[in-house]
PDB file of all heavy atoms in Angstrom:
ATOM      1  N   TYR A  39      14.690   9.726 -15.746  1.00  0.00           N
ATOM      2  CA  TYR A  39      15.358  10.803 -16.474  1.00  0.00           C
ATOM      3  C   TYR A  39      16.179  10.296 -17.651  1.00  0.00           C
ATOM      4  O   TYR A  39      16.771  11.069 -18.384  1.00  0.00           O
ATOM      5  CB  TYR A  39      16.276  11.593 -15.531  1.00  0.00           C
ATOM      6  CG  TYR A  39      15.466  12.506 -14.599  1.00  0.00           C
ATOM      7  CD1 TYR A  39      15.344  12.219 -13.255  1.00  0.00           C
ATOM      8  CD2 TYR A  39      14.841  13.660 -15.106  1.00  0.00           C
ATOM      9  CE1 TYR A  39      14.602  13.046 -12.420  1.00  0.00           C
ATOM     10  CE2 TYR A  39      14.110  14.482 -14.299  1.00  0.00           C
ATOM     11  CZ  TYR A  39      13.984  14.167 -12.917  1.00  0.00           C
ATOM     12  OH  TYR A  39      13.235  14.977 -12.124  1.00  0.00           O
ATOM     13  N   ALA A  40      16.231   8.937 -17.836  1.00  0.00           N
ATOM     14  CA  ALA A  40      17.065   8.384 -18.907  1.00  0.00           C
ATOM     15  C   ALA A  40      16.382   8.593 -20.261  1.00  0.00           C
ATOM     16  O   ALA A  40      15.156   8.622 -20.346  1.00  0.00           O
ATOM     17  CB  ALA A  40      17.246   6.888 -18.663  1.00  0.00           C
ATOM     18  N   PRO A  41      17.195   8.851 -21.297  1.00  0.00           N
ATOM     19  CA  PRO A  41      16.645   9.070 -22.627  1.00  0.00           C
ATOM     20  C   PRO A  41      16.263   7.757 -23.313  1.00  0.00           C
ATOM     21  O   PRO A  41      16.939   7.297 -24.242  1.00  0.00           O
ATOM     22  CB  PRO A  41      17.773   9.767 -23.403  1.00  0.00           C
ATOM     23  CG  PRO A  41      19.016   9.346 -22.696  1.00  0.00           C
ATOM     24  CD  PRO A  41      18.652   8.959 -21.292  1.00  0.00           C
ATOM     25  N   ILE A  42      15.212   7.096 -22.812  1.00  0.00           N
ATOM     26  CA  ILE A  42      14.785   5.820 -23.406  1.00  0.00           C
ATOM     27  C   ILE A  42      13.316   5.950 -23.858  1.00  0.00           C
ATOM     28  O   ILE A  42      12.645   6.896 -23.434  1.00  0.00           O
ATOM     29  CB  ILE A  42      14.905   4.661 -22.364  1.00  0.00           C
ATOM     30  CG1 ILE A  42      14.253   5.045 -21.044  1.00  0.00           C
ATOM     31  CG2 ILE A  42      16.359   4.250 -22.151  1.00  0.00           C
ATOM     32  CD1 ILE A  42      14.171   3.863 -20.055  1.00  0.00           C
ATOM     33  N   PRO A  43      12.834   5.058 -24.721  1.00  0.00           N
ATOM     34  CA  PRO A  43      11.463   5.180 -25.167  1.00  0.00           C
ATOM     35  C   PRO A  43      10.455   5.149 -24.022  1.00  0.00           C
ATOM     36  O   PRO A  43      10.694   4.489 -23.020  1.00  0.00           O
ATOM     37  CB  PRO A  43      11.278   3.919 -26.065  1.00  0.00           C
ATOM     38  CG  PRO A  43      12.628   3.495 -26.433  1.00  0.00           C
ATOM     39  CD  PRO A  43      13.570   3.934 -25.355  1.00  0.00           C
ATOM     40  N   LYS A  44       9.379   5.867 -24.224  1.00  0.00           N
ATOM     41  CA  LYS A  44       8.364   6.016 -23.150  1.00  0.00           C
ATOM     42  C   LYS A  44       7.830   4.688 -22.679  1.00  0.00           C
ATOM     43  O   LYS A  44       7.699   4.455 -21.444  1.00  0.00           O
ATOM     44  CB  LYS A  44       7.201   6.887 -23.719  1.00  0.00           C
ATOM     45  CG  LYS A  44       6.104   7.167 -22.712  1.00  0.00           C
ATOM     46  CD  LYS A  44       6.435   8.312 -21.806  1.00  0.00           C
ATOM     47  CE  LYS A  44       5.277   8.575 -20.808  1.00  0.00           C
ATOM     48  NZ  LYS A  44       5.642   9.514 -19.774  1.00  0.00           N
ATOM     49  N   ALA A  45       7.531   3.771 -23.607  1.00  0.00           N
ATOM     50  CA  ALA A  45       6.987   2.481 -23.218  1.00  0.00           C
ATOM     51  C   ALA A  45       7.952   1.691 -22.323  1.00  0.00           C
ATOM     52  O   ALA A  45       7.542   1.118 -21.324  1.00  0.00           O
ATOM     53  CB  ALA A  45       6.634   1.674 -24.467  1.00  0.00           C
ATOM     54  N   ALA A  46       9.225   1.696 -22.716  1.00  0.00           N
ATOM     55  CA  ALA A  46      10.254   0.981 -21.904  1.00  0.00           C
ATOM     56  C   ALA A  46      10.331   1.607 -20.539  1.00  0.00           C
ATOM     57  O   ALA A  46      10.443   0.917 -19.503  1.00  0.00           O
ATOM     58  CB  ALA A  46      11.570   1.038 -22.610  1.00  0.00           C
ATOM     59  N   MET A  47      10.288   2.933 -20.464  1.00  0.00           N
ATOM     60  CA  MET A  47      10.384   3.668 -19.216  1.00  0.00           C
ATOM     61  C   MET A  47       9.214   3.302 -18.301  1.00  0.00           C
ATOM     62  O   MET A  47       9.440   2.971 -17.133  1.00  0.00           O
ATOM     63  CB  MET A  47      10.413   5.176 -19.466  1.00  0.00           C
ATOM     64  CG  MET A  47      10.763   5.979 -18.262  1.00  0.00           C
ATOM     65  SD  MET A  47      10.459   7.735 -18.540  1.00  0.00           S
ATOM     66  CE  MET A  47       8.789   7.860 -17.899  1.00  0.00           C
ATOM     67  N   VAL A  48       8.016   3.336 -18.859  1.00  0.00           N
ATOM     68  CA  VAL A  48       6.811   3.019 -18.043  1.00  0.00           C
ATOM     69  C   VAL A  48       6.926   1.582 -17.507  1.00  0.00           C
ATOM     70  O   VAL A  48       6.690   1.300 -16.338  1.00  0.00           O
ATOM     71  CB  VAL A  48       5.536   3.218 -18.865  1.00  0.00           C
ATOM     72  CG1 VAL A  48       4.321   2.698 -18.117  1.00  0.00           C
ATOM     73  CG2 VAL A  48       5.339   4.699 -19.164  1.00  0.00           C
ATOM     74  N   GLY A  49       7.272   0.635 -18.418  1.00  0.00           N
ATOM     75  CA  GLY A  49       7.387  -0.740 -18.022  1.00  0.00           C
ATOM     76  C   GLY A  49       8.392  -0.961 -16.923  1.00  0.00           C
ATOM     77  O   GLY A  49       8.108  -1.610 -15.911  1.00  0.00           O
ATOM     78  N   LEU A  50       9.582  -0.317 -17.059  1.00  0.00           N
ATOM     79  CA  LEU A  50      10.614  -0.456 -16.046  1.00  0.00           C
ATOM     80  C   LEU A  50      10.163   0.136 -14.723  1.00  0.00           C
ATOM     81  O   LEU A  50      10.332  -0.481 -13.649  1.00  0.00           O
ATOM     82  CB  LEU A  50      11.876   0.249 -16.508  1.00  0.00           C
ATOM     83  CG  LEU A  50      12.886  -0.586 -17.326  1.00  0.00           C
ATOM     84  CD1 LEU A  50      13.972   0.328 -17.874  1.00  0.00           C
ATOM     85  CD2 LEU A  50      13.469  -1.665 -16.466  1.00  0.00           C
ATOM     86  N   LEU A  51       9.547   1.317 -14.776  1.00  0.00           N
ATOM     87  CA  LEU A  51       9.150   2.033 -13.544  1.00  0.00           C
ATOM     88  C   LEU A  51       8.079   1.234 -12.798  1.00  0.00           C
ATOM     89  O   LEU A  51       8.124   1.053 -11.566  1.00  0.00           O
ATOM     90  CB  LEU A  51       8.625   3.430 -13.847  1.00  0.00           C
ATOM     91  CG  LEU A  51       9.712   4.465 -14.160  1.00  0.00           C
ATOM     92  CD1 LEU A  51       9.071   5.779 -14.526  1.00  0.00           C
ATOM     93  CD2 LEU A  51      10.631   4.644 -12.975  1.00  0.00           C
ATOM     94  N   VAL A  52       7.095   0.687 -13.550  1.00  0.00           N
ATOM     95  CA  VAL A  52       6.038  -0.102 -12.908  1.00  0.00           C
ATOM     96  C   VAL A  52       6.643  -1.358 -12.271  1.00  0.00           C
ATOM     97  O   VAL A  52       6.330  -1.701 -11.137  1.00  0.00           O
ATOM     98  CB  VAL A  52       4.933  -0.479 -13.928  1.00  0.00           C
ATOM     99  CG1 VAL A  52       3.950  -1.457 -13.339  1.00  0.00           C
ATOM    100  CG2 VAL A  52       4.191   0.803 -14.392  1.00  0.00           C
ATOM    101  N   GLY A  53       7.573  -2.008 -12.983  1.00  0.00           N
ATOM    102  CA  GLY A  53       8.236  -3.195 -12.477  1.00  0.00           C
ATOM    103  C   GLY A  53       8.993  -2.874 -11.189  1.00  0.00           C
ATOM    104  O   GLY A  53       8.893  -3.592 -10.172  1.00  0.00           O
ATOM    105  N   LEU A  54       9.753  -1.760 -11.203  1.00  0.00           N
ATOM    106  CA  LEU A  54      10.545  -1.385 -10.023  1.00  0.00           C
ATOM    107  C   LEU A  54       9.657  -1.045  -8.847  1.00  0.00           C
ATOM    108  O   LEU A  54       9.921  -1.441  -7.704  1.00  0.00           O
ATOM    109  CB  LEU A  54      11.430  -0.185 -10.371  1.00  0.00           C
ATOM    110  CG  LEU A  54      12.666  -0.487 -11.228  1.00  0.00           C
ATOM    111  CD1 LEU A  54      13.297   0.813 -11.725  1.00  0.00           C
ATOM    112  CD2 LEU A  54      13.709  -1.267 -10.410  1.00  0.00           C
ATOM    113  N   ALA A  55       8.527  -0.327  -9.128  1.00  0.00           N
ATOM    114  CA  ALA A  55       7.608   0.031  -8.034  1.00  0.00           C
ATOM    115  C   ALA A  55       7.008  -1.210  -7.395  1.00  0.00           C
ATOM    116  O   ALA A  55       6.927  -1.300  -6.190  1.00  0.00           O
ATOM    117  CB  ALA A  55       6.505   0.937  -8.568  1.00  0.00           C
ATOM    118  N   TRP A  56       6.610  -2.183  -8.260  1.00  0.00           N
ATOM    119  CA  TRP A  56       6.035  -3.401  -7.689  1.00  0.00           C
ATOM    120  C   TRP A  56       7.067  -4.189  -6.921  1.00  0.00           C
ATOM    121  O   TRP A  56       6.744  -4.814  -5.871  1.00  0.00           O
ATOM    122  CB  TRP A  56       5.344  -4.240  -8.771  1.00  0.00           C
ATOM    123  CG  TRP A  56       3.953  -3.755  -9.028  1.00  0.00           C
ATOM    124  CD1 TRP A  56       3.508  -3.076 -10.150  1.00  0.00           C
ATOM    125  CD2 TRP A  56       2.823  -3.830  -8.154  1.00  0.00           C
ATOM    126  NE1 TRP A  56       2.175  -2.740 -10.003  1.00  0.00           N
ATOM    127  CE2 TRP A  56       1.728  -3.187  -8.793  1.00  0.00           C
ATOM    128  CE3 TRP A  56       2.616  -4.375  -6.883  1.00  0.00           C
ATOM    129  CZ2 TRP A  56       0.487  -3.083  -8.198  1.00  0.00           C
ATOM    130  CZ3 TRP A  56       1.343  -4.264  -6.313  1.00  0.00           C
ATOM    131  CH2 TRP A  56       0.321  -3.622  -6.956  1.00  0.00           C
ATOM    132  N   ALA A  57       8.313  -4.186  -7.388  1.00  0.00           N
ATOM    133  CA  ALA A  57       9.379  -4.897  -6.678  1.00  0.00           C
ATOM    134  C   ALA A  57       9.529  -4.295  -5.268  1.00  0.00           C
ATOM    135  O   ALA A  57       9.637  -5.041  -4.284  1.00  0.00           O
ATOM    136  CB  ALA A  57      10.685  -4.777  -7.435  1.00  0.00           C
ATOM    137  N   LYS A  58       9.479  -2.943  -5.186  1.00  0.00           N
ATOM    138  CA  LYS A  58       9.602  -2.314  -3.884  1.00  0.00           C
ATOM    139  C   LYS A  58       8.386  -2.640  -3.005  1.00  0.00           C
ATOM    140  O   LYS A  58       8.540  -2.936  -1.812  1.00  0.00           O
ATOM    141  CB  LYS A  58       9.733  -0.789  -4.050  1.00  0.00           C
ATOM    142  CG  LYS A  58      11.082  -0.321  -4.548  1.00  0.00           C
ATOM    143  CD  LYS A  58      11.071   1.064  -5.105  1.00  0.00           C
ATOM    144  CE  LYS A  58      10.977   2.098  -4.018  1.00  0.00           C
ATOM    145  NZ  LYS A  58      10.835   3.467  -4.587  1.00  0.00           N
ATOM    146  N   ALA A  59       7.222  -2.593  -3.598  1.00  0.00           N
ATOM    147  CA  ALA A  59       5.996  -2.884  -2.823  1.00  0.00           C
ATOM    148  C   ALA A  59       6.029  -4.302  -2.259  1.00  0.00           C
ATOM    149  O   ALA A  59       5.671  -4.535  -1.123  1.00  0.00           O
ATOM    150  CB  ALA A  59       4.764  -2.667  -3.722  1.00  0.00           C
ATOM    151  N   VAL A  60       6.496  -5.260  -3.113  1.00  0.00           N
ATOM    152  CA  VAL A  60       6.559  -6.666  -2.647  1.00  0.00           C
ATOM    153  C   VAL A  60       7.577  -6.795  -1.545  1.00  0.00           C
ATOM    154  O   VAL A  60       7.328  -7.513  -0.543  1.00  0.00           O
ATOM    155  CB  VAL A  60       6.863  -7.586  -3.842  1.00  0.00           C
ATOM    156  CG1 VAL A  60       7.244  -8.969  -3.376  1.00  0.00           C
ATOM    157  CG2 VAL A  60       5.687  -7.657  -4.808  1.00  0.00           C
ATOM    158  N   LEU A  61       8.715  -6.096  -1.639  1.00  0.00           N
ATOM    159  CA  LEU A  61       9.720  -6.141  -0.563  1.00  0.00           C
ATOM    160  C   LEU A  61       9.121  -5.654   0.755  1.00  0.00           C
ATOM    161  O   LEU A  61       9.298  -6.306   1.797  1.00  0.00           O
ATOM    162  CB  LEU A  61      10.898  -5.256  -0.913  1.00  0.00           C
ATOM    163  CG  LEU A  61      12.010  -5.852  -1.783  1.00  0.00           C
ATOM    164  CD1 LEU A  61      13.084  -4.815  -2.029  1.00  0.00           C
ATOM    165  CD2 LEU A  61      12.632  -7.080  -1.083  1.00  0.00           C
ATOM    166  N   VAL A  62       8.380  -4.550   0.720  1.00  0.00           N
ATOM    167  CA  VAL A  62       7.780  -3.987   1.935  1.00  0.00           C
ATOM    168  C   VAL A  62       6.783  -4.984   2.503  1.00  0.00           C
ATOM    169  O   VAL A  62       6.753  -5.296   3.698  1.00  0.00           O
ATOM    170  CB  VAL A  62       7.083  -2.643   1.644  1.00  0.00           C
ATOM    171  CG1 VAL A  62       6.256  -2.192   2.828  1.00  0.00           C
ATOM    172  CG2 VAL A  62       8.135  -1.569   1.322  1.00  0.00           C
ATOM    173  N   ALA A  63       5.906  -5.577   1.650  1.00  0.00           N
ATOM    174  CA  ALA A  63       4.893  -6.467   2.127  1.00  0.00           C
ATOM    175  C   ALA A  63       5.488  -7.765   2.684  1.00  0.00           C
ATOM    176  O   ALA A  63       5.065  -8.262   3.733  1.00  0.00           O
ATOM    177  CB  ALA A  63       3.883  -6.782   0.994  1.00  0.00           C
ATOM    178  N   MET A  64       6.489  -8.300   1.999  1.00  0.00           N
ATOM    179  CA  MET A  64       7.073  -9.573   2.401  1.00  0.00           C
ATOM    180  C   MET A  64       7.877  -9.458   3.702  1.00  0.00           C
ATOM    181  O   MET A  64       7.791 -10.329   4.562  1.00  0.00           O
ATOM    182  CB  MET A  64       7.967 -10.125   1.296  1.00  0.00           C
ATOM    183  CG  MET A  64       7.232 -10.498   0.050  1.00  0.00           C
ATOM    184  SD  MET A  64       6.442 -12.090   0.242  1.00  0.00           S
ATOM    185  CE  MET A  64       7.566 -13.081  -0.688  1.00  0.00           C
ATOM    186  N   TYR A  65       8.710  -8.402   3.788  1.00  0.00           N
ATOM    187  CA  TYR A  65       9.656  -8.355   4.932  1.00  0.00           C
ATOM    188  C   TYR A  65       9.201  -7.417   6.028  1.00  0.00           C
ATOM    189  O   TYR A  65       9.257  -7.769   7.186  1.00  0.00           O
ATOM    190  CB  TYR A  65      11.054  -8.024   4.422  1.00  0.00           C
ATOM    191  CG  TYR A  65      11.584  -9.116   3.541  1.00  0.00           C
ATOM    192  CD1 TYR A  65      11.504  -9.054   2.148  1.00  0.00           C
ATOM    193  CD2 TYR A  65      12.111 -10.280   4.102  1.00  0.00           C
ATOM    194  CE1 TYR A  65      11.952 -10.077   1.359  1.00  0.00           C
ATOM    195  CE2 TYR A  65      12.553 -11.303   3.325  1.00  0.00           C
ATOM    196  CZ  TYR A  65      12.503 -11.226   1.944  1.00  0.00           C
ATOM    197  OH  TYR A  65      12.909 -12.270   1.180  1.00  0.00           O
ATOM    198  N   PHE A  66       8.780  -6.182   5.671  1.00  0.00           N
ATOM    199  CA  PHE A  66       8.362  -5.273   6.762  1.00  0.00           C
ATOM    200  C   PHE A  66       6.982  -5.673   7.325  1.00  0.00           C
ATOM    201  O   PHE A  66       6.770  -5.572   8.531  1.00  0.00           O
ATOM    202  CB  PHE A  66       8.286  -3.820   6.235  1.00  0.00           C
ATOM    203  CG  PHE A  66       9.625  -3.209   5.987  1.00  0.00           C
ATOM    204  CD1 PHE A  66       9.746  -2.003   5.309  1.00  0.00           C
ATOM    205  CD2 PHE A  66      10.789  -3.828   6.440  1.00  0.00           C
ATOM    206  CE1 PHE A  66      10.996  -1.440   5.097  1.00  0.00           C
ATOM    207  CE2 PHE A  66      12.039  -3.268   6.241  1.00  0.00           C
ATOM    208  CZ  PHE A  66      12.133  -2.078   5.533  1.00  0.00           C
ATOM    209  N   MET A  67       6.118  -6.148   6.451  1.00  0.00           N
ATOM    210  CA  MET A  67       4.772  -6.559   6.932  1.00  0.00           C
ATOM    211  C   MET A  67       4.773  -8.049   7.241  1.00  0.00           C
ATOM    212  O   MET A  67       3.729  -8.634   7.513  1.00  0.00           O
ATOM    213  CB  MET A  67       3.710  -6.198   5.908  1.00  0.00           C
ATOM    214  CG  MET A  67       3.603  -4.712   5.657  1.00  0.00           C
ATOM    215  SD  MET A  67       2.499  -4.242   4.321  1.00  0.00           S
ATOM    216  CE  MET A  67       0.953  -4.067   5.194  1.00  0.00           C
ATOM    217  N   HIS A  68       5.947  -8.667   7.168  1.00  0.00           N
ATOM    218  CA  HIS A  68       6.164 -10.074   7.588  1.00  0.00           C
ATOM    219  C   HIS A  68       5.296 -11.082   6.842  1.00  0.00           C
ATOM    220  O   HIS A  68       5.062 -12.196   7.358  1.00  0.00           O
ATOM    221  CB  HIS A  68       5.904 -10.206   9.109  1.00  0.00           C
ATOM    222  CG  HIS A  68       6.758  -9.338   9.914  1.00  0.00           C
ATOM    223  ND1 HIS A  68       6.278  -8.530  10.904  1.00  0.00           N
ATOM    224  CD2 HIS A  68       8.075  -9.112   9.904  1.00  0.00           C
ATOM    225  CE1 HIS A  68       7.249  -7.829  11.452  1.00  0.00           C
ATOM    226  NE2 HIS A  68       8.377  -8.190  10.863  1.00  0.00           N
ATOM    227  N   LEU A  69       4.829 -10.733   5.668  1.00  0.00           N
ATOM    228  CA  LEU A  69       3.935 -11.675   4.956  1.00  0.00           C
ATOM    229  C   LEU A  69       4.660 -12.984   4.644  1.00  0.00           C
ATOM    230  O   LEU A  69       4.045 -14.050   4.558  1.00  0.00           O
ATOM    231  CB  LEU A  69       3.452 -11.019   3.659  1.00  0.00           C
ATOM    232  CG  LEU A  69       2.025 -11.291   3.243  1.00  0.00           C
ATOM    233  CD1 LEU A  69       1.076 -11.143   4.421  1.00  0.00           C
ATOM    234  CD2 LEU A  69       1.584 -10.400   2.140  1.00  0.00           C
ATOM    235  N   ARG A  70       5.948 -12.888   4.473  1.00  0.00           N
ATOM    236  CA  ARG A  70       6.739 -14.099   4.156  1.00  0.00           C
ATOM    237  C   ARG A  70       6.790 -15.081   5.301  1.00  0.00           C
ATOM    238  O   ARG A  70       6.961 -16.280   5.087  1.00  0.00           O
ATOM    239  CB  ARG A  70       8.148 -13.662   3.795  1.00  0.00           C
ATOM    240  CG  ARG A  70       8.727 -14.636   2.785  1.00  0.00           C
ATOM    241  CD  ARG A  70      10.129 -14.441   2.494  1.00  0.00           C
ATOM    242  NE  ARG A  70      10.665 -15.777   2.225  1.00  0.00           N
ATOM    243  CZ  ARG A  70      11.910 -16.031   1.989  1.00  0.00           C
ATOM    244  NH1 ARG A  70      12.758 -15.023   1.971  1.00  0.00           N
ATOM    245  NH2 ARG A  70      12.340 -17.241   1.765  1.00  0.00           N
ATOM    246  N   PHE A  71       6.593 -14.564   6.509  1.00  0.00           N
ATOM    247  CA  PHE A  71       6.733 -15.437   7.682  1.00  0.00           C
ATOM    248  C   PHE A  71       5.371 -15.772   8.305  1.00  0.00           C
ATOM    249  O   PHE A  71       5.312 -16.383   9.350  1.00  0.00           O
ATOM    250  CB  PHE A  71       7.637 -14.778   8.734  1.00  0.00           C
ATOM    251  CG  PHE A  71       8.879 -14.249   8.114  1.00  0.00           C
ATOM    252  CD1 PHE A  71       9.036 -12.882   7.857  1.00  0.00           C
ATOM    253  CD2 PHE A  71       9.901 -15.093   7.730  1.00  0.00           C
ATOM    254  CE1 PHE A  71      10.186 -12.408   7.266  1.00  0.00           C
ATOM    255  CE2 PHE A  71      11.048 -14.637   7.159  1.00  0.00           C
ATOM    256  CZ  PHE A  71      11.190 -13.263   6.894  1.00  0.00           C
ATOM    257  N   GLU A  72       4.314 -15.329   7.655  1.00  0.00           N
ATOM    258  CA  GLU A  72       2.973 -15.595   8.206  1.00  0.00           C
ATOM    259  C   GLU A  72       2.415 -16.866   7.571  1.00  0.00           C
ATOM    260  O   GLU A  72       3.002 -17.437   6.652  1.00  0.00           O
ATOM    261  CB  GLU A  72       2.023 -14.436   7.860  1.00  0.00           C
ATOM    262  CG  GLU A  72       2.459 -13.109   8.463  1.00  0.00           C
ATOM    263  CD  GLU A  72       2.086 -13.019   9.951  1.00  0.00           C
ATOM    264  OE1 GLU A  72       1.532 -13.975  10.485  1.00  0.00           O
ATOM    265  OE2 GLU A  72       2.376 -11.956  10.534  1.00  0.00           O
ATOM    266  N   ARG A  73       1.222 -17.236   8.100  1.00  0.00           N
ATOM    267  CA  ARG A  73       0.506 -18.363   7.422  1.00  0.00           C
ATOM    268  C   ARG A  73       0.136 -17.956   6.008  1.00  0.00           C
ATOM    269  O   ARG A  73      -0.064 -16.777   5.727  1.00  0.00           O
ATOM    270  CB  ARG A  73      -0.805 -18.632   8.184  1.00  0.00           C
ATOM    271  CG  ARG A  73      -0.641 -19.384   9.447  1.00  0.00           C
ATOM    272  CD  ARG A  73      -1.856 -19.162  10.315  1.00  0.00           C
ATOM    273  NE  ARG A  73      -1.622 -19.659  11.642  1.00  0.00           N
ATOM    274  CZ  ARG A  73      -1.974 -20.872  12.058  1.00  0.00           C
ATOM    275  NH1 ARG A  73      -2.590 -21.680  11.248  1.00  0.00           N
ATOM    276  NH2 ARG A  73      -1.714 -21.242  13.285  1.00  0.00           N
ATOM    277  N   ARG A  74       0.060 -18.963   5.143  1.00  0.00           N
ATOM    278  CA  ARG A  74      -0.250 -18.661   3.771  1.00  0.00           C
ATOM    279  C   ARG A  74      -1.620 -18.022   3.571  1.00  0.00           C
ATOM    280  O   ARG A  74      -1.850 -17.244   2.646  1.00  0.00           O
ATOM    281  CB  ARG A  74      -0.180 -19.951   2.920  1.00  0.00           C
ATOM    282  CG  ARG A  74      -0.169 -19.681   1.473  1.00  0.00           C
ATOM    283  CD  ARG A  74       0.424 -20.832   0.666  1.00  0.00           C
ATOM    284  NE  ARG A  74       1.841 -20.980   0.912  1.00  0.00           N
ATOM    285  CZ  ARG A  74       2.553 -22.043   0.500  1.00  0.00           C
ATOM    286  NH1 ARG A  74       1.956 -22.988  -0.162  1.00  0.00           N
ATOM    287  NH2 ARG A  74       3.825 -22.129   0.751  1.00  0.00           N
TER     288      ARG A  74
END
Side-chain angles (χ1 to χ4, degrees):
Chain A
Y39 286 108
I42 50 171
K44 181 83 180 170
M47 191 191 92
V48 171
L50 271 172
L51 284 176
V52 171
L54 285 167
W56 277 108
K58 284 163 74 184
V60 167
L61 275 179
V62 170
M64 293 281 258
Y65 294 98
F66 287 169
M67 298 173 90
H68 302 130
L69 217 47
R70 211 187 146 183
F71 313 102
E72 298 282 1
R73 282 160 192 266
R74 192 159 293 169

